[in-house]
């Protein structure tokens, strides 16, 4: 490999496409004749305005975002969205959440500060190893929205069918699957994604929100910055935004458009995930942690028969040049995150390594 880069299986921050990093490196000291780095640039300058506008336009193209949706770039990463969603969308003070793992639990706990949360379905009974049936949820008449974490980064589950929200607004945390497959935006009221999983640098979330959900009548306690309308009314330039992240994400959007868009990403991601899942399905040592129907194409948790052996595999993988295969501290085991930017060769090399380990430890 040209730069001696490692296959980094981190759940986030995670790998970015190498051609994007090369472009960023080339523009680092002098962005297109501006005489400065994007990090040094006024967010009110024409040159940055163009970076921002192109990023939005490219994302709109990539996801075919309908005109009646706003695209916002909001600081605070994913976690701030756990609060912004209930602050902005709870009118009646009631919302339904589907509990599928660590990230939906965080969202639930945060929402409880602002109103009543009804757990509409949960997979807690089986360690969050599946997506519960959401075809006939019990949704109260006064519920303001239905919330899902569409891909649970830690537990490795993903939705292949969206819940029937019975006419209520669907809100989705797409952090660890954003831009990994085509998405019909019109089925959602709000989509948000922390960008450091599948797009760019940490510290920012992309929010896609239907215009009619922007409100002037928010409770007084909601900080100005935490109102979606503040960002919508100001082109995400209400204050100094995360200019660097917007710039890097914009590059990734262009890269995805130039490489076949989300259909092509999906096909690649399916191919990569199949290589790893086929191996796990046939292995006597390693076991996937999720039921087949709900397995994520992005985050693949798996275990050996013991904690000690899990740790041994992690150590051996490091020695073999792989990085970040340790499972999240809350669940243990191993986890390979194989986002858009992970090359197929990386997954193949990992499977070769695991095969060899299995043979040597049979
Ligand atoms: C990482 C992650 C978050 C939190 O993102 P931060 O930027 O660290 O706050 C939220 N939801 C999901 C699904 C995630 O994977």
């Amino acid at each position: 490999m040209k730069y001696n880069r490692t296959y980094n299986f981190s759940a986030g921050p995670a790998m970015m496409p190498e051609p994007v990093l090369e472009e960023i490196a080339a523009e680092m000291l002098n962005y297109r004749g501006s005489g400065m780095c994007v990090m040094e640039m006024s967010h009110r300058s024409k040159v940055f305005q163009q970076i921002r506008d192109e990023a939005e336009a490219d994302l709109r193209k990539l996801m075919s975002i309908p005109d009646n949706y706003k695209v916002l770039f909001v600081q605070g990463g994913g976690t701030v969205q756990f609060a912004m969603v209930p602050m902005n969308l709870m009118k009646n003070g009631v919302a339904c959440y589907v509990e599928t793992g660590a990230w939906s639990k965080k969202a639930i706990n945060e929402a409880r500060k602002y109103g009543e949360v009804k757990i509409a379905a949960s997979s807690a009974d089986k360690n969050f190893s599946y997506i519960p049936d959401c075809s006939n949820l019990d949704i109260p008449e006064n519920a303001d929205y239905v919330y899902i974490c569409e891909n649970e980064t830690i537990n490795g589950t993903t939705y292949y069918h969206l819940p029937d929200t019975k006419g209520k607004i669907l809100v989705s945390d797409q952090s660890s699957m954003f831009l990994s497959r085509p998405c019909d935006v019109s089925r959602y009221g709000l989509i948000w994604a922390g960008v450091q999983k599948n797009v760019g640098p940490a510290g920012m979330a992309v929010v896609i929100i239907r215009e009619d959900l922007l409100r002037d009548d928010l409770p007084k306690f909601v900080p100005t910055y935490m109102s979606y309308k503040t960002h919508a009314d100001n082109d995400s330039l209400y204050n100094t935004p995360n200019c660097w992240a917007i710039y890097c994400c914009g590059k990734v959007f262009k890269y995805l458009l130039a490489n076949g868009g989300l259909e092509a990403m999906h096909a690649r991601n399916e191919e990569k995930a199949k290589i790893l899942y086929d191996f796990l399905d046939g292995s006597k040592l390693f076991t996937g942690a999720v039921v087949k129907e709900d397995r994520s194409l992005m985050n693949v948790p798996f275990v050996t028969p013991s904690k000690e052996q899990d740790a041994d595999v992690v150590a051996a993988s490091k020695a073999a040049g792989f990085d970040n295969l340790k499972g999240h501290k809350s669940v243990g085991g191993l986890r390979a995150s194989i986002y858009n930017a992970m090359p197929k060769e990386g997954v193949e090399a990992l499977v070769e390594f695991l095969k060899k380990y299995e043979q040597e430890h049979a």
Side-chain angles (χ1 to χ4, degrees):
M1 280 196 294
K2 200 157 142 199
Y3 300 101
N4 199 23
R5 283 161 54 78
T6 188
Y7 289 128
N8 175 9
F9 291 92
S10 170
M15 289 181 82
M16 288 174 61
E18 209 163 279
V20 166
L21 295 177
E22 281 177 323
E23 255 185 55
I24 291 169
E27 291 174 349
M28 184 67 76
L29 277 293
N30 186 348
Y31 176 79
R32 302 190 181 176
S34 66
M36 54 185 96
C37 173
V38 175
M39 277 187 255
E40 304 170 303
M41 214 172 255
S42 165
H43 58 295
R44 308 277 174 215
S45 63
K46 267 203 181 127
V47 55
F48 183 75
Q49 184 76 43
Q50 191 183 351
I51 291 172
R52 197 221 74 91
D53 292 350
E54 276 185 32
E56 177 177 338
D58 287 336
L59 181 63
R60 284 186 175 279
K61 204 187 291 175
L62 202 49
M63 295 183 75
S64 309
I65 299 174
D67 288 343
N68 63 326
Y69 285 75
K70 292 281 188 190
V71 172
L72 315 176
F73 301 114
V74 185
Q75 293 174 70
T79 297
V80 163
Q81 294 310 310
F82 294 147
M84 276 179 86
V85 165
M87 278 181 174
N88 283 267
L89 300 187
M90 274 187 175
K91 272 189 178 170
N92 301 326
V94 182
C96 288
Y97 278 66
V98 181
E99 183 188 46
T100 50
W103 291 115
S104 39
K105 273 164 61 172
K106 281 203 165 163
I108 288 163
N109 288 336
E110 194 68 18
R112 284 195 166 128
K113 295 185 176 184
Y114 305 102
E116 189 189 327
V117 170
K118 188 172 182 295
I119 309 292
S122 172
S123 54
D125 60 336
K126 287 183 184 157
N127 253 334
F128 301 118
S129 58
Y130 70 103
I131 297 290
D133 178 8
C134 295
S135 60
N136 187 18
L137 299 174
D138 182 14
I139 300 169
E141 198 40 56
N142 62 347
D144 290 307
Y145 59 89
V146 177
Y147 181 104
I148 59 169
C149 175
E150 205 165 333
N151 186 86
E152 280 279 1
T153 323
I154 292 172
N155 308 86
T157 53
T158 207
Y159 285 76
Y160 289 95
H161 309 282
L162 291 177
D164 180 353
T165 63
K166 304 190 172 163
K168 304 295 182 196
I169 298 156
L170 179 63
V171 176
S172 176
D173 171 1
Q174 288 197 348
S175 297
S176 49
M177 57 169 290
F178 194 54
L179 307 182
S180 68
R181 65 189 194 203
C183 168
D184 180 358
V185 175
S186 70
R187 297 187 64 187
Y188 303 80
L190 188 154
I191 294 168
W192 68 265
V195 296
Q196 78 274 26
K197 306 293 160 69
N198 206 16
V199 192
M204 191 176 84
V206 171
V207 176
I208 302 167
I209 181 170
R210 216 173 62 205
E211 264 167 4
D212 60 289
L213 303 178
L214 299 166
R215 287 169 61 192
D216 277 320
D217 62 336
L218 290 179
K220 281 216 166 30
F221 71 82
V222 177
T224 308
Y225 191 84
M226 303 286 274
S227 156
Y228 288 125
K229 192 156 186 302
T230 299
H231 298 275
D233 287 349
N234 292 280
D235 280 349
S236 304
L237 291 162
Y238 172 72
N239 70 333
T240 319
N242 188 337
C243 300
W244 182 250
I246 293 171
Y247 162 71
C248 296
C249 289
K251 292 255 181 239
V252 174
F253 301 154
K254 279 197 197 305
Y255 172 83
L256 297 178
L257 283 170
N259 285 276
L262 301 189
E263 300 277 353
M265 280 306 124
H266 189 212
R268 283 191 43 183
N269 289 328
E270 280 188 320
E271 189 189 4
K272 286 187 299 182
K274 186 173 185 313
I275 295 168
L276 186 48
Y277 283 124
D278 281 353
F279 165 73
L280 292 174
D281 289 343
S283 171
K284 291 198 172 63
L285 182 64
F286 300 102
T287 316
V290 172
V291 300
K292 275 191 185 175
E293 311 82 74
D294 303 325
R295 296 197 292 208
S296 169
L297 298 183
M298 300 278 99
N299 311 99
V300 183
F302 55 100
V303 292
T304 70
S306 75
K307 279 196 171 97
E308 292 69 30
Q309 190 148 33
D310 290 345
D312 187 59
V313 180
V314 171
S317 73
K318 258 202 127 71
F322 302 100
D323 222 335
N324 290 309
L325 280 162
K326 195 170 166 200
H328 190 266
K329 56 185 189 299
S330 64
V331 295
L334 294 110
R335 173 180 51 173
S337 294
I338 49 174
Y339 298 117
N340 285 350
M342 170 61 69
K344 185 176 150 197
E345 293 74 28
V347 181
E348 286 170 341
L350 174 65
V351 165
E352 277 317 302
F353 162 80
L354 294 173
K355 258 187 201 157
K356 193 157 156 260
Y357 182 97
E358 181 168 350
Q359 279 159 10
E360 288 168 3
H361 293 79

